[in-house]
Amino acid sequence: MGVFDIAFLVAALTIAAPILLAATGELISQRAGVMNVGLEGVLLAGAFAGYLTMTRVDSQPLGFLGGIAGGLLLAALMAVLAIEVKVDQIVAGIAIGVLGLGLTTFFDQHFVPEPQTFTPLPRLAVPLLSDLPVVGEVLFHQDLFIYATIVVVVLVGLAMYRTTWGINLAATGESPVAADAAGVSIRGVRWAAVLVSGACAGAAGAYISIGDVGVFREDMTGGRGYLAIAAVLFGAWRLRGLLLAVAIFAVTDAIQLRLQSIASVPGEVWAAAALLVLGALVAARHRQPRRAPKPAELIGAVLLAGLVALAVVRPQLSLPASLWLAMPYVLALVALAAGGAARHRAPSGLTLPYIRSEA
Amino acid sequence: GCGSGDEAAGTAAAGESSTINIGFLAPAPRNDGGFTQYALAGVQAAVDADPKLKLTSIVDNASESQEQIEGLQSLAAKNKVVVADGAVLNKAVAVVAPKYPDTHFVLIASDLEALADNVSSVTVAVGLNAMVAGAVASNESKSKKIGMIAGPEVPSSTAWYYGMAQGAKIENPQTQVAQAYTNDYNDVGKAKQAAEAMIANGVDQILSDLDSGSEGIYQAADGKAGTGVYNVFALHCDENKNIIGSGIVNWSDVLKTAVTEAAAGKLASGAISFGLKSGALSFQFCPGKGTDEQKALAEKITKDISDGTVTPGDGVLLPKPSYAFEQR
Amino acid sequence: MKALAVRVLTQLGVAAATLLFAALLLLAIGVSPGEAASAFWSGTFGSPTNAGTTLTQAVPLFLVALGWIIADKAGRMHVGFPGQVVIGGCAAAAVGLQCDGVPTVVAIVACALAGIAGGALWAGIVAWLWASRGVLEIISSLLLNLVAVQMLAWLVRGPLQGSLDQQPQSANFPASALWPAVESVPGRTLSYDVILLPILAAGLIWLFSRTVFGFELRASGGNLDAARWSGINPVRAGVSAIVISGGFAGLAGAALLFAGSAPWLSEGFEAGIGFNGIAVALLARNSPVGAILTAIVFSSLNVGGTSLQALLDVPSSLTSVLQGAVIVLVLVAAMLLRRRRAARPAVPVTPASTGKELVSSAKEA
Amino acid sequence: MTTDPGSGSALRLSGITKRFGAFTANDRIDLDIAWGEVHALLGENGAGKTTLMRIVTGLYQPDEGTMSLDGTPVSFRRPEQALRAGIGMVHQHFTLVPTLTELENLAMAPAGVPWRNGRAAARRRAAEVEAATGLRIAPDRLVSDASVGERQRLEIVKLLCRGARLLIFDEPSAALSPGEWDELAKLMRRLAAEGHAVVLISHKLSEVFAVADRWTVLRGGAVAGTGDIAGSTPEQLVTLMVGESLAPRRERAPAAPGEPALVVRELNVERHPDGPQALEDVDLDVRAGEIVGIAGVAGSGQAELVETVLGIRPALSGSVELAGRRLERRTPAGFYAAGGALIPEDRHHVAVIGGMTLGENINLRALRQAPLARRGRIDLRAARQRAVRLAAEYEVRATGESQPMARLSGGNQQKAVLARELSTEPLLVIAVQPVRGLDVRATEFVYRRLTEHRDRGGAVLLISMDLDEVIALSDRIAVLAHGRIRGVLDAGEATRARIGALMTSSEVTA
Ligand SMILES: Nc1ncnc2c1ncn2[C@@H]1O[C@H](COP(=O)(O)OP(=O)(O)OP(=O)(O)O)[C@@H](O)[C@H]1O
Ligand SMILES: Nc1ncnc2c1ncn2[C@@H]1O[C@H](COP(=O)(O)OP(=O)(O)OP(=O)(O)O)[C@@H](O)[C@H]1O
Ligand SMILES: [Mg+2]
Ligand SMILES: [Mg+2]
């Protein structure tokens, strides 16, 4: 019924997939201590390289490989700057972002003056599983990229939490001195991490262009790179947190696209928001049960009352598009503020170049 | 060399040679597959038709006011005619034009009041086209829900929306009209998701007021049989089988006419609006699309608007300036 | 002497590399590098008019850079400048639009204050989340940037939209609210706010070195725990630093609107100033004086890029490629310089040999 | 040609020179370390001990000189190569990752096969090491939750797991309680007996004479002498280190206690929400003109006591009075304003600001009020003069007051902290482990300063895990165990045995 149906979940998953893959790569890179604020540029490089490959050889697998290569190229530049030359990572990232946009636009105008269109990835139904109710339609009737993303995320999870490499990665980002003393090659781990992030962003970019829609437009990534970075930070550098963050972003984005085309906000949206606020309040209480209510909680309670009222009254109300567009970020902020931050610690080595003699 | 280039550039506008230089500035990319691309094609057509005309430079992606002003100034310094391709450039032109009285500015799609003497504002009444498209879409729709998807929320898009709504109501008062903005002309994926969301809400006829993003709408339509798609600007029938037709805004012709006249010094200053009569606007079906009933409907509404039987409602025509329009 | 020579040589090397790269790119699209150079020069410094534009546009970049420097000195790495510029600009615009008929001095001060207040308020959210909820400032500021963009989109289509046309733009600001420009520069492109460059740079240096407040900021940034243990309130220092830096960004927003040649509010007026300002500060190695220079370099890249497009039909994409390449090369050069310097200790450590000597500078006293 | 391990030379350095720019940290050093011995490396702060060992472990490359292991020439470009060859070092600042568990820290290793999971193998090796040496770790505990002693144990296990045969300890006792040190000393002897070689860097000659077989003294980066422990005296080594013999410690005048300076009543402090309390009903008096020592093993509540008095940590109940005034809303600023001063234990983290200059660190507190600052403005000239004067008075060795603090050696950083805290003429000085990591001469200096402060009528609260230090300096000693004061002894009656008995006793004595 209404807004929250199966198609909605499918849409959310499609929105989530490329952000998730790019964010997973960025997570690895940041866990190793390298933050690439130019991720948007890497995504674009992947999107364009994939498209360029498709214009030359019309093959999806090669297109994706091309996209990965494009992502790797910019990531390698980032790695040289951050790991070898040891420049400030934030400026390096800004440069990567500018270069990504500039180079892809420039090459697009030069190598592919006439825009071309390709068939996007087909949706494949997994036999049997796709017949399951709800889950089947949402999870097992998707395109190959989404399956691959799920596989990659699971693999990355295993690698991060179940292998020596994962330990080395965490150590490199947290305390390069300790990792170095244990014989872990800081350069090696960081290069690998940055390149993996480049490959992920490249593939995600290729999905945005050739995988999802089969075309390339300059600056077509529309800020997904920033969302991916925000997801890594918001997820407190954990894979689980990252999944939650991407889920919030994707679901709110899917909702806002829905709501825009409905004249008035349906009651169930107010009800869902009220449930969210209620959940946050209960969680805050649960953590410290005996304590006077704080101003934030009072505000929350008032908000809750208001939302419940809206859900009951269901007024004819439409909100400006910008409000919906801002919703994922506002929600993320509220969640951060409510969730407290003791658990919220960046890897101590993040953005710091490692110079051994200072050890 | 210190500043030697500057003097040369400064006097180029008043250059003696018989060639007439033309500059072009747009806030969007030049190959956006829509508004900018058609306008540029029109300028090119004018240049090709007359060997004396020369398109010297194109500044595109000038998305920010300051940059637009600088771009216009640089162009004005060395061109006789400067095309400012987009309504958002209205204020920038208002700032620059008085400083370059020898250059003629052709401002596209805007209708701002009180422009300088060397500015012509050229516009078309897209909302009228939208009325026809809305009526046809409403007739085609099974669910009686039609929708429009646009990039950023700008006047020409809202005009499309209001026009569609009015046209649909004429055809069937029960038809509902939805609108959605992706806030980005180039984000194809977002356009696809927006269209899918609309389709999920029951909309089965979608008008794409996106340039480069239309591809996403085609693909969403592919996913659900019976979804019709409409374009603006031109017919793209070969791009997707679901395209029913397009409310054609013949920017290329408008631009060609305007630039040719401006180069010849014949384009009047002030606002010029191209309407249904001029041929700059029309609604056309793709080959094999459209029932006879729909074609008749389209013709009837076109005629009714032209002869005043139907008057455009609120928001359909862009706000009318208080001064006289040259209506073509 | 030798150090200076190395420095100069490295800088020349970078300049040469950048030029070579640019030349290759230009040749690739069939534009003569010589013509390009002269077009670039004429667009940026070739005439008083253009030089005025270049300098005026350096001001907002510089203000953001100062904001970064202040926050960074206090150890608070926030990247919320784009959002703060936007909100500061919106606040200033809201006030400026009401200033018709108000005396110029009052109007200017009111707009500047509104800009500062807007930016500071937006940064205040970051500061509050950091101080009382423990949210990392880099995260919250990144998210708030994205919110600010939507806020602007709504404002220019809603409360602040100009009445006559329905473009997402405000009406023009009344002339009395515009910041005065130097009359003798043709086109009045040089706004008087360029005097902010030396004044604020000097002021900031004074603040850091000569005031208790600046000292407490630096101490908190140097070692937050040590600062707290020695009786400084590092939370207050951090909050003030974030809020002040937001104020600078907000003022930058006001400067973009009221000192530029486009006196109205529109979407995208921020024009990447927020992030580029950070780059300006970092390339100047967080030196306020150095930031003046790098801000001018950055603004000339912007201005010169537009003139390259207009004069020689160089595509805008190439301009951004060039800008990216310049940042990369300058970074590399700065790093090479630092390496060379680090190889020689700046201060020779006195080895403890006799165990008798006191502080060497005690003799000077 | 390989010498037989267990008897002959393990590591031989010849002519090792290391320069940092113009400064020579190691000057043509020859050193010979044999299997089966504990070799003490001695020298003043900044003598070049750490630098030399960093060369041995591949962290630095020597500018000149050669190394050979078992008679074969070796050179290490990376620490990993040294580790492979069997050389491992327990650094002064531990090289552990606090956010990982102890097991994960063991499993951290150069990845040959990236998808291998080293945890199981690490667990097995840790068990083997435990069987061989008795060293036990808590595999699933986060390192950040482990105490300093536990971390050090983990470092040693880490090296043994990796097969280190030559183990280097850089000032291992600096952070250990006496009990932990005794354990470590036993372990070193056992390792040596098993045929390992052990290098011990230490400033405490008592430790050196307790465990070492041979010694080498560095002075100004060069070898000043080497020899066997048997047949050497501490005075002889001190003279070699310092270049002259130290004046004997002066007799202390008896204390003349006056008004109470610090009065703590019924103080209760929480550690973890559901664990035992860090402090329980603590009563404590420190009077003007006396030094009160607090004895106790690490983790007995010393840190919480300091933090609570300073105002960093909230108390559940109880009161703190300073100079007769009750500190109500406790903040560090309030503590200092009431006449307090503090030499913290954790110098790196809470006492010095490495990125600021020596002068700014010395003036860290004085700079923010009159006379150095008026109406928020700083008198830079006066500040500079004050810093230079104090640096000279406290014998801080540096190139000038504008030298970055991080570039000072540890001992000189400590003296700067001392200068800062004592120069404000405080009523009460809380000194926590004030000589940690300092060489003998600097240690004497600190003791003298604290005693002088007492003699001038100041109060000192000395907190240390070194019982000898507490006994030697204090006029009264309070014994703290498990968050409770177990008893207060006068200097005359305090002996190691009595204090030890109080620490382990469960009931409160008067
Ligand atoms: N990376 C470096 N760059 C420049 N100088 C250094 C560096 N490391 C050490 N030094 C200098 O070398 C000297 C020796 O330092 P080292 O750390 O080896 O002394 P140490 O004997 O270990 O002293 P301590 O007893 O205080 O630990 C110091 O005075 C220091 O100034
Ligand atoms: N960049 C540098 N330039 C000069 N000397 C340096 C530099 N970095 C470190 N040092 C020196 O390196 C030595 C070793 O540093 P470390 O942190 O081990 O200090 P430390 O003297 O051993 O202090 P502690 O006893 O507190 O651990 C110090 O003596 C310090 O002077
Ligand atoms: Mg040392
Ligand atoms: Mg030391």
Side-chain angles (χ1 to χ4, degrees):
Chain A
M1 69 147 204
V3 176
F4 303 111
D5 55 9
I6 291 176
F8 164 79
L9 291 176
V10 175
L13 197 62
T14 317
I15 295 172
I19 302 176
L20 179 60
L21 187 62
T24 305
E26 178 70 13
L27 172 67
I28 293 178
S29 170
Q30 293 203 12
R31 291 270 284 200
V34 183
M35 167 134 88
N36 186 355
V37 293
L39 193 61
E40 183 83 6
V42 186
L43 275 177
L44 272 174
F48 175 70
Y51 169 72
L52 184 68
T53 316
M54 288 290 279
T55 60
R56 300 297 185 257
V57 284
D58 190 356
S59 137
Q60 286 275 5
L62 288 182
F64 269 89
L65 281 183
I68 291 175
L72 282 176
L73 217 62
L74 269 197
L77 178 59
M78 181 71 199
V80 167
L81 290 176
I83 304 170
E84 302 301 328
V85 196
K86 302 183 200 295
V87 303
D88 189 283
Q89 290 180 8
I90 299 215
V91 205
I94 294 175
I96 297 281
V98 174
L99 277 177
L101 177 58
L103 284 172
T104 52
T105 308
F106 179 66
F107 288 139
D108 185 36
Q109 285 166 2
H110 265 260
F111 293 127
V112 203
E114 276 304 308
Q116 298 183 29
T117 315
F118 305 97
T119 325
L121 285 177
R123 300 220 155 160
L124 302 176
V126 179
L128 295 181
L129 289 176
S130 59
D131 297 332
L132 295 171
V134 186
V135 181
E137 179 70 13
V138 175
L139 283 182
F140 301 105
H141 197 98
Q142 291 294 0
D143 57 40
L144 213 52
F145 175 83
I146 293 182
Y147 296 134
T149 300
I150 295 171
V151 171
V152 167
V153 170
V154 170
L155 284 182
V156 166
L158 287 176
M160 269 172 54
Y161 301 114
R162 294 273 179 279
T163 67
T164 307
W165 179 80
I167 298 174
N168 293 350
L169 182 74
T172 304
E174 187 62 39
S175 169
V177 186
D180 192 19
V184 174
S185 158
I186 306 296
R187 277 177 63 210
V189 172
R190 288 197 166 167
W191 262 96
V194 174
L195 289 183
V196 167
S197 103
C200 286
Y207 179 69
I208 294 170
S209 64
I210 57 176
D212 188 24
V213 291
V215 291
F216 176 80
R217 300 281 182 259
E218 61 192 57
D219 203 10
M220 76 182 300
T221 48
R224 287 175 182 80
Y226 292 106
L227 270 183
I229 295 173
V232 173
L233 303 184
F234 173 59
W237 292 273
R238 301 276 180 287
L239 198 55
R240 238 182 314 148
L242 182 141
L243 285 169
L244 178 72
V246 174
I248 292 183
F249 291 159
V251 166
T252 34
D253 202 16
I255 293 183
Q256 68 90 2
L257 287 171
R258 291 290 177 104
L259 293 185
Q260 273 200 52
S261 54
I262 299 178
S264 148
V265 182
E268 66 213 80
V269 172
W270 300 123
L275 274 181
L276 264 182
V277 174
L278 184 67
L281 285 176
V282 169
R285 269 285 127 185
H286 182 70
R287 209 162 294 141
Q288 282 166 296
R290 285 167 286 119
R291 148 176 82 73
K294 288 196 177 155
E297 281 181 336
L298 293 178
I299 295 172
V302 172
L303 196 66
L304 179 64
L307 288 170
V308 170
L310 284 169
V312 174
V313 177
R314 303 187 174 217
Q316 277 291 318
L317 185 67
S318 67
L319 299 171
S322 338
L323 190 98
W324 295 120
L325 292 169
M327 196 58 84
Y329 321 121
V330 175
L331 268 184
L333 277 168
V334 171
L336 276 175
R343 63 191 172 85
H344 219 96
R345 232 173 48 79
S348 338
L350 190 60
T351 77
L352 300 180
Y354 178 62
I355 299 164
R356 181 179 285 163
S357 62
E358 278 175 12
Chain B
C2 293
S4 53
D6 181 50
E7 302 313 312
T11 51
E16 17 52 65
S17 79
S18 57
T19 51
I20 298 170
N21 288 339
I22 297 167
F24 182 91
L25 182 136
R30 59 183 85 182
N31 58 347
D32 64 356
F35 184 73
T36 312
Q37 195 165 331
Y38 289 115
L40 199 50
V43 177
Q44 196 62 52
V47 169
D48 292 344
D50 184 348
K52 280 219 305 279
L53 301 189
K54 181 165 176 261
L55 179 57
T56 56
S57 37
I58 303 163
V59 177
D60 60 350
N61 281 322
S63 52
E64 178 258 328
S65 310
Q66 196 83 37
E67 201 182 340
Q68 290 159 0
I69 290 175
E70 278 153 31
L72 286 173
Q73 280 173 343
S74 303
L75 289 177
K78 68 167 206 173
N79 293 295
K80 186 89 182 71
V81 175
V82 171
V83 180
D85 185 36
V88 279
L89 298 168
N90 53 4
K91 284 172 183 274
V93 169
V95 168
V96 177
K99 297 186 199 164
Y100 296 87
D102 296 337
T103 303
H104 196 95
F105 290 84
V106 183
L107 176 57
I108 305 299
S110 177
D111 31 24
L112 187 70
E113 200 178 4
L115 295 172
D117 286 345
N118 54 339
V119 180
S120 307
S121 166
V122 176
T123 183
V124 288
V126 288
L128 304 181
N129 236 349
M131 288 168 70
V132 185
V136 171
S138 167
N139 184 275
E140 176 81 18
S141 172
K142 306 244 167 0
S143 61
K144 294 302 158 199
K145 281 186 182 172
I146 66 176
M148 178 209 67
I149 296 178
E153 197 178 340
V154 292
S156 61
S157 298
T158 51
W160 270 101
Y161 169 71
Y162 288 118
M164 275 178 76
Q166 193 181 359
K169 290 278 184 297
I170 293 173
E171 197 275 339
N172 182 343
Q174 301 307 314
T175 303
Q176 294 175 20
V177 186
Q179 59 178 340
Y181 297 97
T182 64
N183 208 24
D184 193 332
Y185 285 119
N186 296 335
D187 194 333
V188 190
K190 194 101 177 208
K192 182 176 175 184
Q193 285 141 15
E196 281 172 345
M198 256 191 192
I199 292 170
N201 282 340
V203 171
D204 65 353
Q205 305 296 316
I206 301 176
L207 182 123
S208 164
D209 188 21
L210 287 163
D211 304 329
S212 25
S214 296
E215 189 62 39
I217 296 175
Y218 303 157
Q219 289 175 11
D222 285 343
K224 169 100 185 207
T227 306
V229 180
Y230 305 80
N231 289 108
V232 299
F233 299 123
L235 280 173
H236 294 279
C237 303
D238 49 340
E239 288 183 12
N240 188 263
K241 62 177 183 348
N242 299 306
I243 299 176
I244 309 277
S246 176
I248 294 183
V249 181
N250 206 336
W251 277 120
S252 298
D253 274 1
V254 171
L255 262 285
K256 185 181 174 198
T257 315
V259 169
T260 311
E261 289 182 15
K266 288 199 224 117
L267 188 68
S269 15
I272 304 158
S273 174
F274 289 78
L276 284 168
K277 261 184 270 178
S278 67
L281 283 178
S282 62
F283 184 90
Q284 287 179 22
F285 289 94
C286 280
K289 291 288 164 69
T291 59
D292 290 342
E293 185 196 351
Q294 285 164 2
K295 287 178 181 158
L297 181 67
E299 253 168 56
K300 176 170 183 301
I301 293 187
T302 309
K303 192 172 141 291
D304 286 353
I305 297 171
S306 305
D307 62 21
T309 316
V310 174
T311 42
D314 272 354
V316 174
L317 285 184
L318 300 177
K320 222 173 180 58
S322 47
Y323 62 92
F325 242 111
E326 181 186 339
Q327 188 75 48
R328 295 195 187 183
Chain C
M1 265 330 273
K2 212 159 128 204
L4 188 72
V6 168
R7 220 191 142 100
V8 169
L9 277 180
T10 318
Q11 269 159 3
L12 287 179
V14 169
T18 315
L19 290 178
L20 192 72
F21 182 77
L24 286 176
L25 273 182
L26 290 166
L27 284 174
I29 60 157
V31 171
S32 135
E35 271 180 45
S38 96
F40 188 88
W41 175 256
S42 85
T44 49
F45 295 104
S47 68
T49 311
N50 295 347
T53 306
T54 307
L55 284 178
T56 303
Q57 289 202 17
V59 175
L61 276 169
F62 170 76
L63 289 172
V64 171
L66 289 193
W68 166 270
I69 292 173
I70 279 213
D72 186 76
K73 274 272 178 347
R76 307 268 54 88
M77 200 176 83
H78 81 83
V79 292
F81 301 102
Q84 290 147 19
V85 169
V86 163
I87 300 296
C90 290
V95 170
L97 287 168
Q98 309 303 320
C99 279
D100 208 1
V102 175
T104 304
V105 181
V106 178
I108 290 172
V109 172
C111 291
L113 286 180
I116 293 173
L121 197 76
W122 204 244
I125 304 177
V126 175
W128 174 76
L129 285 171
W130 170 72
S132 78
R133 311 297 310 159
V135 180
L136 279 188
E137 62 270 20
I138 189 164
I139 308 176
S140 53
S141 58
L142 199 68
L143 290 170
L144 279 168
N145 286 345
L146 302 168
V147 176
V149 169
Q150 295 305 331
M151 196 122 145
L152 171 62
W154 172 66
L155 283 174
V156 293
R157 292 184 172 81
L160 294 182
Q161 189 171 35
S163 56
L164 184 69
D165 59 312
Q166 288 197 335
Q167 293 298 324
Q169 297 166 334
S170 75
N172 280 14
F173 304 132
S176 62
L178 298 185
W179 296 3
V182 179
E183 292 291 342
S184 56
V185 174
R188 305 179 12 108
T189 53
L190 183 62
S191 168
Y192 269 113
D193 65 356
V194 290
I195 55 174
L196 287 177
L197 295 176
I199 292 180
L200 287 179
L204 211 60
I205 290 172
W206 179 82
L207 179 86
F208 287 139
S209 63
R210 297 295 174 107
T211 68
V212 172
F213 176 68
F215 181 74
E216 294 191 348
L217 281 195
R218 287 192 297 129
S220 306
N223 183 343
L224 191 133
D225 286 320
R228 172 180 296 140
W229 280 63
S230 71
I232 293 171
N233 184 344
V235 173
R236 198 177 54 199
V239 166
S240 336
I242 296 176
V243 169
I244 294 176
S245 92
F248 272 105
L251 183 61
L256 274 174
L257 294 174
F258 290 89
S261 47
W264 59 85
L265 185 69
S266 61
E267 271 187 287
F269 79 93
E270 186 260 347
I273 293 289
F275 276 136
N276 283 339
I278 300 178
V280 164
L282 286 170
L283 288 182
R285 296 228 236 108
N286 287 339
S287 140
V289 175
I292 298 182
L293 201 75
T294 43
I296 293 174
V297 169
F298 260 71
S299 104
S300 69
L301 282 176
N302 282 334
V303 177
T306 310
S307 96
L308 275 187
Q309 289 180 56
L311 297 181
L312 297 176
D313 205 12
V314 174
S316 59
S317 50
L318 190 73
T319 327
S320 53
V321 172
L322 276 180
Q323 284 176 0
V326 169
I327 302 180
V328 168
L329 288 166
V330 172
L331 274 178
V332 172
M335 220 42 228
L336 292 179
L337 271 178
R338 200 176 323 174
R339 283 264 180 91
R340 283 206 66 95
R341 213 166 313 147
R344 304 175 324 111
V347 267
V349 179
T350 323
S353 46
T354 67
K356 279 269 165 62
E357 73 272 38
L358 301 178
V359 180
S360 56
S361 53
K363 288 171 220 141
E364 301 161 16
Chain D
M1 230 186 58
T2 318
T3 333
D4 174 26
S7 63
S9 157
L11 179 73
R12 171 169 286 156
L13 309 182
S14 48
I16 295 286
T17 298
K18 177 71 187 171
R19 297 186 198 89
F20 293 112
F23 174 71
T24 307
N26 287 153
D27 189 6
R28 282 163 292 160
I29 289 187
D30 297 328
L31 184 65
D32 209 349
I33 291 160
W35 294 120
E37 74 165 353
V38 177
H39 194 114
L41 192 58
L42 306 170
E44 288 196 285
N45 292 125
K49 307 177 292 289
T50 303
T51 307
L52 185 65
M53 291 302 113
R54 284 187 165 172
I55 291 173
V56 168
T57 50
L59 272 164
Y60 292 161
Q61 268 69 58
D63 296 316
E64 288 162 26
T66 57
M67 286 195 278
S68 62
L69 188 67
D70 285 335
T72 356
V74 286
S75 75
F76 307 126
R77 309 237 98 232
R78 277 175 290 133
E80 190 203 336
Q81 295 173 338
L83 251 180
R84 287 248 164 87
I87 301 180
M89 174 156 164
V90 178
H91 290 267
Q92 231 170 330
H93 308 289
F94 297 143
T95 52
L96 295 172
V97 185
T99 50
L100 295 181
T101 64
E102 300 200 351
L103 187 69
E104 286 167 339
N105 267 280
L106 288 187
M108 178 168 66
V113 197
W115 54 84
R116 195 197 49 179
N117 189 350
R119 286 180 179 80
R123 203 180 282 271
R124 213 171 39 245
R125 270 181 285 134
E128 285 166 19
V129 169
E130 187 187 333
T133 61
L135 282 173
R136 182 191 211 116
I137 60 162
D140 301 314
R141 173 174 55 198
L142 279 184
V143 168
S144 55
D145 292 338
S147 74
V148 179
E150 289 160 347
R151 289 184 202 199
Q152 188 171 56
R153 199 177 314 148
L154 179 62
E155 282 275 20
I156 299 167
V157 172
K158 198 169 91 181
L159 293 183
L160 293 175
C161 277
R162 301 288 293 273
R165 296 175 300 152
L166 172 67
L167 288 99
I168 301 165
F169 292 86
D170 195 353
E171 295 186 39
S173 67
L176 295 185
S177 65
E180 288 170 328
W181 160 253
D182 290 341
E183 249 176 64
L184 180 65
K186 264 187 250 151
L187 177 70
M188 286 183 190
R189 292 291 354 150
R190 191 156 62 230
L191 289 172
E194 282 167 9
H196 290 78
V198 175
V199 175
L200 168 67
I201 299 179
S202 176
H203 293 300
K204 292 189 188 158
L205 291 174
S206 57
E207 295 173 1
V208 168
F209 277 83
V211 292
D213 301 304
R214 288 204 299 146
W215 53 264
T216 298
V217 170
L218 297 188
R219 177 146 52 88
V223 175
T226 184
D228 288 331
I229 287 287
S232 312
T233 62
E235 290 70 33
Q236 196 184 343
L237 297 193
V238 168
T239 312
L240 266 179
M241 281 189 256
V242 181
E244 62 187 304
S245 56
L246 275 189
R249 206 178 279 179
R250 265 184 297 144
E251 268 304 304
R252 279 152 45 97
E259 293 290 297
L262 174 71
V263 180
V264 175
R265 287 289 172 268
E266 310 256 319
L267 195 62
N268 284 285
V269 176
E270 187 177 66
R271 183 173 285 145
H272 290 300
D274 357 276
Q277 278 183 208
L279 292 178
E280 239 182 297
D281 293 333
V282 166
D283 289 337
L284 188 68
D285 293 85
V286 185
R287 284 169 289 171
E290 73 169 349
I291 297 181
V292 174
I294 291 194
V297 295
S300 305
Q302 296 98 326
E304 288 81 1
L305 176 64
V306 171
E307 287 172 13
T308 312
V309 171
L310 179 65
I312 298 254
R313 186 182 272 272
L316 293 173
S317 64
S319 69
V320 176
E321 255 178 48
L322 191 54
R325 280 217 332 262
R326 189 174 159 149
L327 301 181
E328 286 295 349
R329 283 191 62 236
R330 279 195 300 278
T331 60
F335 169 76
Y336 294 123
L342 171 68
I343 301 164
E345 172 181 18
D346 189 346
R347 185 199 318 140
H348 284 273
H349 287 120
V350 303
V352 304
I353 303 179
M356 292 180 110
T357 66
L358 168 63
E360 286 171 326
N361 271 281
I362 288 183
N363 288 330
L364 188 57
R365 294 210 278 111
L367 204 52
R368 289 180 283 125
Q369 53 223 324
L372 293 193
R374 286 210 167 75
R375 276 188 276 118
R377 297 222 323 268
I378 293 173
D379 183 350
L380 265 193
R381 203 168 153 57
R384 222 174 261 141
Q385 278 168 358
R386 178 177 188 272
V388 168
R389 180 170 57 74
L390 284 175
E393 187 186 329
Y394 284 81
E395 300 180 12
V396 182
R397 257 173 261 149
T399 50
E401 60 86 29
S402 61
Q403 186 174 10
M405 194 66 168
R407 299 261 173 98
L408 264 62
S409 87
N412 285 309
Q413 290 182 4
Q414 183 74 358
K415 288 186 215 166
V417 174
L418 222 58
R420 172 173 86 214
E421 297 302 326
L422 295 183
S423 61
T424 52
E425 294 182 3
L427 178 60
L428 168 78
V429 175
I430 302 181
V432 192
Q433 308 268 36
V435 299
R436 173 195 267 195
L438 293 194
D439 62 32
V440 262
R441 215 155 49 96
T443 301
E444 280 308 309
F445 176 83
V446 172
Y447 289 164
R448 201 170 68 236
R449 280 290 168 172
L450 288 179
T451 311
E452 281 169 13
H453 178 68
R454 175 199 80 156
D455 294 344
R456 279 198 306 268
V460 177
L461 178 65
L462 171 72
I463 299 178
S464 173
M465 273 170 305
D466 182 347
L467 273 189
D468 296 330
E469 178 176 288
V470 173
I471 293 170
L473 280 183
S474 310
D475 301 311
R476 289 191 302 138
I477 297 168
V479 180
L480 186 68
H482 300 293
R484 288 170 162 271
I485 300 279
R486 302 291 180 179
V488 182
L489 302 170
D490 277 333
E493 53 180 5
T495 60
R496 285 190 78 109
R498 284 200 64 174
I499 294 174
L502 279 177
M503 276 184 199
T504 49
S505 79
S506 53
E507 63 193 81
V508 182
T509 25

